[in-house]
Amino acid sequence: PPPLGASKTDAARPEAMPGSQGSAQVELRILDERFHTVLTENAKLIEELKVTGVDLESSLAQEEELSSSWKATIAFSARQKIAVQGVARNLQSALRGESGHLVETAKHVQELQDVMRRLQSVNRQLEFAEQVQSRALSEVEFRIAARSNRTRKVEQAIYRIFYQAQLDGGLDVVLSELVAKCGTLVRTVIAREAQRQALEMTSAHDGSSRAPVPWEGPPRKPAPAALGGAADPAAKPALSPRPGGATPTGGGA
C-alpha cells in the first residue's frame, strides 16, 4: 500500500529514478512523524472524549436529578397552590358565615332593643295607670272615710235625738210614729248605737279601779221597738245613758 499521506499518482510513479529515493525516504519519515503526531493527537482526543463523556454523563445525571427536583417542585407548588386556594375558599366561606352571623345577631339585637323600648313605653304607661289608680283609690278611700265619719255623726245625732226625746218624756207616740216612718234603717242605726254605748259603758266599768254603782237614770218609760226594746210595745226598756247623766256622743263626736 502507498504510504500514509501519499497520493495515488505518487504510488503509481516508477521507482526507477535513483535520485528520488532520498526524497521518498524523507517523505516517508515526514509521513511517519505526521502519522505518529496524528495518533498522539487521536489518543489525546480519545482521552478528552472519555473525560468529556464522563462529564457528559455526570451532567446528564445532574440534569435528570435537577429535572426530577424541578418536577417534584412543580408538583409540590401545584399542591401548595391548591392548598392555598382551598384555605382561601375556606377563609372566605368562614368570613361570609361570620358576616351573616353578625348580621343576624345585629338584627336580633335591634329587635330586642325595639322590644325593650316598647316594654319601657308599656312600663311607663302601666306606672302612670298605677299612679292614676292609686290616686283614685286614695280619693275613694278618703271619700269612704269621710262618708263613714259623716254617717257616724248622723247615727250619733239620730241616737242623741231619740235618746233626748226619751229622757224628756211625753214623746213616745211621736217617736213610735217617727221610727215607723223612717223604716228599718233608723231602727238598725238606733239599735247599733245603743249596743255600742252599752259596750263602751261595760268597758269603762271593767277598766276602772273602783267600780261605781251604775246610774239607772230616770224611771224607764215605754220606748219604741226600734230603740232596742222587746217585741212587746208595753215592755220596751229605755236607753241607758252614760254614768253622770251625760248625753252619749259616741266615739269622739
Side-chain angles (χ1 to χ4, degrees), residues 125-139:
Q125 293 177 1
L126 290 176
E127 289 179 355
F128 178 74
E130 183 181 1
Q131 293 176 0
V132 172
Q133 290 180 356
S134 299
R135 287 195 294 269
L137 181 60
S138 300
E139 292 177 0

Side-chain angles (χ1 to χ4, degrees), residues 57 78 109 111 124-125 127 134 150 175 200:
E57 290 178 357
V109 169
E111 291 176 356
R124 288 193 294 269
Q125 293 177 1
E127 289 179 355
S134 299
R150 187 167 61 251
L175 289 176
E200 290 179 358

Side-chain angles (χ1 to χ4, degrees), residues 34-78:
R34 288 180 179 179
F35 180 73
H36 286 294
T37 303
V38 170
L39 289 177
T40 304
E41 291 178 357
N42 288 335
K44 290 181 180 180
L45 290 175
I46 290 171
E47 294 294 333
E48 291 178 0
L49 182 60
K50 289 181 180 178
V51 173
T52 303
V54 172
D55 293 338
L56 180 60
E57 290 178 357
S58 62
S59 298
L60 291 175
Q62 187 176 3
E63 181 184 1
E64 290 179 357
E65 183 179 358
L66 292 174
S67 178
S68 300
S69 300
W70 175 69
K71 291 179 181 179
T73 304
I74 290 175
F76 181 75
S77 299

